[in-house]
């Protein structure tokens, strides 16, 4: 494994010296996400494998090129899981890519996001220097929290070599319910339930052929799930696992539209948005998907007005030209740029992927 | 290591610390005149007498009078103070309630203290969105009290929650006894309004669950007041569980108690709290709060379950089964809320209880992998013999976060030094066992040397680069948390005291 590290370091040092952009890539399953791809490919997949996993420690450490499937299988064998349910978006998805993209699945509102479960990273910066931040323990406040800063940075601050994640036991029981509710009512219900001690672990609202349906998953102790089912009502969904999996992987019918797919991240209590196109709501109201041909300015200003932001998740022709991510205010932008330079002074790591300016 | 030092032999160690190059000469009259134009009359504290209450935080062995103390009461005043200090290159130490245990708020001789004590308003509680918008000087427990009417509370609960402020919690990424299940400060803060050193005010995070760009929220939380001044925070509120019950189990040896912790986790249970105390700790506590602890046990475990009554019953019976298999000699379950609170009262009063039986003590804060807890206890007990100093142990066992309390008498020549070496030994063992020197108390000035053991020169210089992106002249909390390379080479040269003197 040390030869692979040496090879990565050689590539990065050469790129730094020659100011040649590098494109860090694992399985390529999230190539569509973020800004345009640019630079010579550096394939992270050779650096693979689980470094350590001890179920009683609730921690797994694995190399960046490890297939996400392999990690999930190892955890499942011990009755554990990655509670943030990272989307794979392809069979080749790697751990490094999942953490660099920083995306989370249906359980996010209840359990936390990818960044909430990262305990430590080993990374190689834009000078080819290998450094460790955080660690393999639950609580660690020594030094700035550089490891969480890496989550969602799309490889622009460093090549993630190893990642340590907190893992959780799989819930003893799960049940999925569906009930009819128009959007406004569904938002009220989700927010109301979230304020009560109920074991809701995922929500999905969608207007489909069979009406406006709110689907929700309950996870926890048998007794807790049973009593919540009684309280919430609705109808039990039989093939629930397939439903949540299709939602996470965006294989559900909603995601097969031929318009741009926007991800709106909003306060959960934001009222229904009046935007052209179809919507699907997750995370108790905090994540709203929009399939729409609306111009970027319209979508982004609606998101901002509601107190959130909009990401052009999968852009089609009509939205090209708009950046993937909502613009930052100037002082924040300046700060982000300085941070980028602190980790990658030559600006060679995935330039343009996170931000058009660097 | 945090000191509870009551002897007469207090050391003024502030002068030994790293500082940025001071301005050639501080024109103190000019500084006072400038700040007078910004702050109301009572917002500026001058001289030894007025500065004395600010000379230390919870790490009382380290004391240093600041040049002066600024107590702004509006955002505009904070911004103006920052602009002035930024231009005058005057160091600033930000301060909340001063309960920190690592000297994060210890003043510097050539700088001012910026106290946020007047920012104590809860601006908004939104029960539907389950958030509270608060000023940085609001006390941790005040948020839960304000939310209680809605069946909500703010989850992180450091032992000092009655006094400590949310601003300080954000600076330290504070934990508490419930963080294995409910997370640390970083998991419970959604947004910060932050003033940068040059007076620029920015918003980080928001009312949504994420925001575009790098995750500055994660970087800011736990940054020990070195990157910016928190002006306002939006925190997450959690629904109050219907019921909580705690199991108290006794063990005849610490190894069995440590194994029981691992077995509970292996059984798929994440208790709301999972704490361990050794015999020295329970003895000190029992005398003080009469919690009903088993004084014959070598160690006791406290494991809490919360949720619906059915859920709690299910989890308690599962934990009971695991504890029995793990060799618990006695198991008691709290029968009502009063008893539950009594069981916890002892744990929460552990520091003051130990403070009663020794003139001084020093509190450590390492975190190690759970499976090495028993081994660590054995090593600590060996070190205790080597240094001829008593040590009581209280742990957040579920997190592997240890708080050994080293007892000493600062009036006995050499004991403070021995205690410090003992503490350094424990911190270095924590790193050696794959852990960290600090789980929740912060590095501050106290553990800044041990940062050299945990991090390489390249890692430390990366921390400095991050710091420089926010604060290029190192004016915010200088000398704290991240050591200079020179300091580390000195530390490495002198070696680490492991054997008894």
């Amino acid at each position: 494994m040390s030869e692979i590290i040496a090879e990565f370091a050689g590539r990065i040092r050469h790129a730094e010296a020659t100011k040649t952009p590098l494109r860090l890539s694992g399985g390529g399953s999230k190539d569509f996400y973020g800004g345009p791809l640019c630079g010579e490919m550096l394939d992270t997949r050779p650096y693979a494998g689980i470094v350590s996993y001890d179920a009683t420690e609730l921690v797994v450490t694995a190399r960046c090129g490890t297939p996400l499937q392999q990690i999930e299988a190892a955890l499942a064998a011990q009755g554990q899981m990655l509670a943030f349910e990272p989307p794979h978006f392809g069979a080749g998805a790697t751990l490094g890519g999942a953490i660099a993209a920083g995306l989370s699945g249906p359980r996010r509102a209840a359990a936390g996001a990818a960044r909430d479960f990262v305990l430590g990273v080993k990374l190689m910066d834009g000078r080819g220097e290998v450094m460790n931040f955080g660690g393999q323990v639950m609580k660690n406040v020594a030094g700035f929290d550089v490891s969480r800063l890496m989550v969602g940075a799309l490889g622009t601050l460093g090549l993630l070599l190893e990642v340590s994640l907190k893992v959780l036991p799989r819930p003893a029981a799960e049940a999925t319910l569906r009930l009819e509710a128009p959007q406004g009512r569904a938002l009220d219900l989700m927010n109301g339930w979230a304020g009560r001690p109920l074991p809701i672990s995922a929500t999905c609202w969608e207007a489909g052929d069979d009406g406006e349906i709110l689907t929700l998953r309950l996870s926890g102790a048998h007794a807790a799930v049973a009593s919540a089912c009684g309280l919430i009502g609705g109808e039990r969904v039989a093939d629930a696992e397939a439903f949540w999996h299709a939602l996470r992987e965006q294989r559900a019918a909603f995601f097969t539209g031929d318009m741009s797919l926007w991800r709106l991240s909003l306060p959960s209590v934001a009222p229904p948005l009046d935007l052209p196109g179809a919507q699907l709501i997750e995370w108790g109201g905090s994540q709203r998907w929009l399939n729409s041909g609306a111009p970027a300015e319209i979508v982004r200003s609606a998101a901002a007005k509601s107190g959130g932001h909009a990401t052009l998740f999968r852009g089609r022709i009509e939205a090209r030209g708009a950046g993937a991510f909502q613009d930052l205010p100037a002082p924040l932008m300046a700060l982000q740029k300085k941070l980028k330079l602190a980790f990658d002074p030559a600006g060679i790591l995935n330039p343009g992927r996170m931000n058009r300016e660097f | 290591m945090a000191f509870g030092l009551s002897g007469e032999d207090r050391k003024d160690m502030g002068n030994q610390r790293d500082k940025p190059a001071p301005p050639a000469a501080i024109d103190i009259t000019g500084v006072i005149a400038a700040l007078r134009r910004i702050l109301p009359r009572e917002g500026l504290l001058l001289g030894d007498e007025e500065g004395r209450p600010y000379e230390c935080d919870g790490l009382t062995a380290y004391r240093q009078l600041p040049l002066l103390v600024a107590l702004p009461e509006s955002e505009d005043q904070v911004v103006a103070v920052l602009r002035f200090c930024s231009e005058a290159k005057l160091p600033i130490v930000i301060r909340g309630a001063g309960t920190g245990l690592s000297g994060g708020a210890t003043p510097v001789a050539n700088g001012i203290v910026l106290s946020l004590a007047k920012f104590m308003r809860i601006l908004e509680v939104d029960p539907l969105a389950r958030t509270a918008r608060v000023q940085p000087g609001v006390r941790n427990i005040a948020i839960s009290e304000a939310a209680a009417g809605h069946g909500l509370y703010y989850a992180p609960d450091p032992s000092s929650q009655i006094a400590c402020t949310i601003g300080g919690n954000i600076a330290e990424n504070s934990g508490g006894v419930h963080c294995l299940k409910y997370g640390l400060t970083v998991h419970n803060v959604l947004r910060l309004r932050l003033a940068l050193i040059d007076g620029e005010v920015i918003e980080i995070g928001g009312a949504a669950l994420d925001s575009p760009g790098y995750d500055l929220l994660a970087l800011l939380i736990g940054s020990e007041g070195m990157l910016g001044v928190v002006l306002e925070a939006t925190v997450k509120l959690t629904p109050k569980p219907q019921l909580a019950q705690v199991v108290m189990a006794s063990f005849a040896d610490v190894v069995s108690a440590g194994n029981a912790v691992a077995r509970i986790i292996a059984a798929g249970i994440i208790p709301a709290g999972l704490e361990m105390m050794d015999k020295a700790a329970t003895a000190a506590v029992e005398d003080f709060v009469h919690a009903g602890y088993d004084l014959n046990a070598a160690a006791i475990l406290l494991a809490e379950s919360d949720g619906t009554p059915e859920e709690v019953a299910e989890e308690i019976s599962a934990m009971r089964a695991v504890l029995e298999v793990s060799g618990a000699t006695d198991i008691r379950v709290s029968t009502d809320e009063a008893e539950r609170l009594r069981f916890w009262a002892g744990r929460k009063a552990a520091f003051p209880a130990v403070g009663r039986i020794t003139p001084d003590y020093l509190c450590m804060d390492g975190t190690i992998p759970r499976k090495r807890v028993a081994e660590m206890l054995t090593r600590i007990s060996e070190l205790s013999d080597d240094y001829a100093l008593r040590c009581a142990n209280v742990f957040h066992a579920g997190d592997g976060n240890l708080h050994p309390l080293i007892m000493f008498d600062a009036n006995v020549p050499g004991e403070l030094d021995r205690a410090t070496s003992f503490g350094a030994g424990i911190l270095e063992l924590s790193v050696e066992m794959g852990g960290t020197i600090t789980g929740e108390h912060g590095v501050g000035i106290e553990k800044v040397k041990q940062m050299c053991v945990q991090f390489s020169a390249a890692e430390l210089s990366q921390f400095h680069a991050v710091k420089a992106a926010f604060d290029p002249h190192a004016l915010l909390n200088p000398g704290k948390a991240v050591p200079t390379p020179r300091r580390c080479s000195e530390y490495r040269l002198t070696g680490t005291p492991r054997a008894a003197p």
Side-chain angles (χ1 to χ4, degrees):
Chain A
M1 286 297 159
S2 59
E3 318 82 73
I4 303 173
I5 301 252
E7 195 197 315
F8 287 168
R11 290 281 308 275
I12 288 183
R13 286 197 194 109
H14 180 258
E16 186 202 13
T18 56
K19 304 249 176 207
T20 323
L22 280 178
R23 171 186 158 197
L24 312 182
S25 181
S29 57
K30 295 166 193 73
D31 279 353
F32 66 88
Y33 182 66
L37 308 173
C38 129
E40 284 174 24
M41 173 88 95
L42 188 158
D43 188 347
T44 62
R45 284 174 298 183
Y47 196 64
I50 293 173
V51 177
S52 66
Y53 171 46
D54 183 341
T56 66
E57 294 295 324
L58 297 178
V59 180
V60 64
T61 301
R63 300 190 185 93
C64 55
T66 316
L68 213 41
Q69 279 181 352
Q70 184 188 335
I71 294 169
E72 287 173 342
L75 299 182
Q78 301 287 331
Q80 297 188 333
M81 63 177 184
L82 297 175
F84 59 102
E85 298 187 323
H88 291 220
F89 297 143
T94 60
L95 172 67
I99 297 306
L103 300 171
S104 307
R107 208 179 293 268
R108 191 268 176 257
R115 58 91 94 166
D116 294 315
F117 290 90
V118 169
L119 298 174
V121 298
K122 180 197 282 259
L123 69 86
M124 187 179 286
D125 72 359
R127 289 157 288 214
E129 189 85 56
V130 176
M131 296 180 282
N132 287 288
F133 296 102
Q136 287 78 45
V137 289
M138 293 293 133
K139 287 161 88 179
N140 188 352
V141 294
F144 300 126
D145 197 346
V146 171
S147 37
R148 285 197 172 90
L149 182 66
M150 296 297 140
V151 186
L154 286 168
T156 60
L157 297 178
L159 164 57
L160 297 175
L161 292 169
E162 288 175 21
V163 181
S164 296
L165 294 169
K166 177 178 177 179
V167 300
L168 285 180
R170 297 177 81 82
E174 287 204 315
T176 293
L177 303 170
R178 45 178 276 155
L179 40 143
E180 273 194 56
Q183 192 183 150
R185 168 90 184 128
L187 286 169
D188 287 346
L189 282 174
M190 289 189 285
N191 279 290
W193 285 329
R196 296 164 61 184
L198 293 168
I200 296 175
S201 69
T203 49
C204 173
W205 175 90
E206 189 189 358
D209 297 339
D210 43 353
E212 296 186 56
I213 303 291
L214 174 61
T215 309
L216 59 142
R217 182 177 64 188
L218 301 156
S219 311
H222 289 275
V225 170
S227 73
C229 281
L231 203 134
I232 287 167
E235 142 201 5
R236 286 290 275 266
V237 174
D239 197 8
E241 203 161 325
F243 174 87
W244 296 111
H245 188 261
L247 177 68
R248 187 191 82 186
E249 293 303 321
Q250 300 193 341
R251 288 206 208 103
F254 175 88
F255 296 98
T256 56
D258 54 5
M259 284 182 286
S260 287
L261 177 67
W262 290 88
R263 174 184 176 268
L264 281 74
S265 175
L266 305 180
S268 64
V269 292
L273 292 177
D274 184 19
L275 283 168
Q279 290 182 44
L280 182 147
I281 301 178
E282 281 191 272
W283 300 1
S286 294
Q287 177 165 264
R288 306 190 192 184
W289 298 99
L290 171 71
N291 244 326
S292 176
E297 317 83 73
I298 302 280
V299 179
R300 293 220 149 108
S301 85
K305 226 179 272 168
S306 296
H309 62 99
T311 302
L312 181 55
F313 205 77
R314 292 180 196 261
R316 305 284 179 223
I317 295 294
E318 69 278 2
R320 294 259 165 87
F325 304 106
Q326 195 130 349
D327 286 336
L328 301 168
L332 205 49
M333 179 70 186
L335 204 50
Q336 302 240 339
K337 203 167 177 172
K338 283 187 219 165
L339 273 176
K340 162 75 174 172
L341 292 175
F343 285 89
D344 176 21
I348 50 152
L349 301 175
N350 286 354
R353 187 89 194 264
M354 182 82 182
N355 194 296
R356 277 182 285 187
E357 289 186 30
F358 51 80
Chain B
M1 295 173 257
F3 289 83
L5 198 65
S6 57
E8 293 304 302
D9 185 32
R10 298 185 200 281
K11 290 193 177 178
D12 189 330
M13 302 181 187
N15 291 325
Q16 301 170 10
R17 302 284 144 185
D18 279 345
K19 282 177 211 123
I26 299 169
D27 166 19
I28 184 72
T29 328
V31 168
I32 292 170
L35 292 175
R36 279 232 190 280
R37 283 194 288 276
I38 297 169
L39 297 165
R41 177 150 284 279
E42 67 282 5
L44 202 57
L45 305 180
L46 305 169
D48 286 10
E49 200 181 323
E50 290 190 325
R52 194 67 66 196
Y54 297 85
E55 68 177 353
C56 68
D57 60 10
L59 183 68
T60 54
Y62 293 76
R63 287 164 189 261
Q64 173 63 58
L65 277 169
L67 278 183
L68 55 85
V69 179
L71 278 148
E73 50 193 32
S74 71
E75 183 172 312
D76 289 348
Q77 289 172 9
V78 173
V79 166
V81 169
L82 288 171
R83 284 212 178 106
F84 169 74
C85 291
S86 187
E87 271 160 37
K89 303 278 181 291
L90 197 60
I92 301 169
V93 175
I94 311 161
R95 184 182 175 100
T99 56
L101 294 170
S102 59
T106 310
V108 292
N110 61 339
I112 72 163
V113 164
L114 178 68
S115 165
L116 296 170
K118 292 194 173 170
F119 288 77
M120 50 192 302
R121 278 169 49 220
I122 294 176
L123 302 167
E124 187 189 7
V125 173
D126 184 338
L128 192 62
R130 292 147 277 125
T131 57
R133 199 157 56 83
V134 300
Q135 292 188 322
V138 170
R139 289 173 307 122
N140 172 296
I141 202 156
I143 305 175
S144 292
E145 285 167 357
H150 304 291
L152 301 168
Y153 74 110
Y154 176 65
D157 60 343
S159 293
S160 57
Q161 71 181 141
I162 295 166
C164 64
T165 65
I166 188 71
N169 291 178
I170 289 164
E172 304 295 332
N173 190 15
S174 306
V177 299
H178 291 100
C179 48
L180 182 64
K181 183 166 176 184
Y182 294 104
L184 307 157
T185 304
V186 70
H187 302 109
N188 288 280
V189 172
L190 291 168
R191 167 189 158 268
L192 295 178
R193 187 172 169 80
L194 189 82
L196 300 173
I197 183 66
D198 60 2
E200 185 87 58
V201 174
I202 58 172
E203 294 271 339
I204 290 176
L209 290 178
D210 47 55
S211 46
Y214 298 133
D215 194 341
L216 298 188
L217 202 54
L219 189 61
L220 258 299
I221 294 170
S223 62
E224 302 200 23
M226 293 179 69
L227 303 182
V229 182
V230 174
L231 298 167
E232 204 181 290
T234 302
V235 302
K236 239 167 78 174
L237 300 175
T238 304
K240 236 189 144 106
Q242 275 174 272
L243 178 71
Q245 263 187 308
V246 60
V247 187
M248 182 162 70
S250 308
F251 288 89
D253 61 285
V254 292
V255 176
S256 315
N259 292 340
V261 170
R263 281 190 174 142
I264 289 174
I265 305 286
I269 301 166
I270 302 291
L274 186 52
E275 299 284 312
M276 183 167 158
M277 297 168 80
D278 72 0
K279 199 169 187 170
T282 50
V285 160
E286 196 50 35
D287 227 25
F288 185 36
V289 293
H290 313 293
Y293 291 163
D294 178 355
L295 295 177
N296 296 317
I300 64 160
L301 275 186
L302 291 169
E304 182 158 283
S305 172
D306 65 10
T308 62
E310 303 89 343
E311 197 176 3
V312 171
E314 192 175 312
E315 199 167 85
I316 293 272
S317 96
M319 288 201 287
R320 182 190 269 280
V322 173
L323 291 166
E324 276 165 4
V325 174
S326 307
T329 53
D330 186 32
I331 297 175
R332 285 157 62 194
V333 180
S334 63
T335 49
D336 55 24
E337 188 61 7
E339 192 175 24
R340 183 183 78 92
L341 293 175
R342 198 162 57 245
F343 284 176
W344 278 119
R347 167 60 188 88
K348 291 208 168 183
F351 294 4
V354 168
R356 284 174 79 241
I357 60 165
T358 173
D360 307 292
Y361 70 89
L362 193 149
C363 169
M364 320 298 299
D365 177 41
T367 305
I368 55 169
R370 244 178 247 104
K371 63 183 164 211
R372 304 195 71 168
V373 163
E375 185 189 344
M376 178 57 119
L377 279 172
T378 311
R379 299 287 292 272
I380 290 176
S381 140
E382 287 164 13
L383 284 172
S384 173
D385 291 344
D386 290 349
Y387 285 99
L389 291 173
R390 290 179 300 159
C391 183
N393 290 291
V394 294
F395 293 173
H396 303 299
D399 304 306
N401 184 200
L402 298 80
H403 295 314
L405 300 162
I406 298 169
M407 295 175 250
F408 68 101
D409 183 349
N411 286 329
V412 176
E415 279 212 0
L416 172 59
D417 289 340
R418 250 157 62 216
T420 309
S421 300
F422 183 175
I426 295 177
L427 293 184
E428 287 167 28
L429 268 175
S430 301
V431 177
E432 200 182 298
M433 291 188 177
T436 177
I437 56 172
T438 175
E440 57 179 4
H441 294 171
V443 175
I445 51 173
E446 175 210 30
K447 302 179 218 48
V448 77
K449 285 182 191 164
Q450 282 77 29
M451 285 291 281
C452 312
V453 180
Q454 188 166 337
F455 293 98
S456 71
E459 289 152 3
L460 292 172
S461 95
Q462 191 59 55
F463 286 143
H464 285 295
V466 168
K467 162 81 168 162
F470 284 82
D471 177 18
H473 301 290
L475 297 175
L476 289 172
N477 227 357
K480 311 285 176 68
V482 186
T484 57
R486 186 180 56 85
R487 189 122 180 234
C488 280
S489 53
E490 284 169 10
Y491 187 60
R492 290 187 184 114
L493 274 177
T494 48
T496 54
R498 199 54 72 64

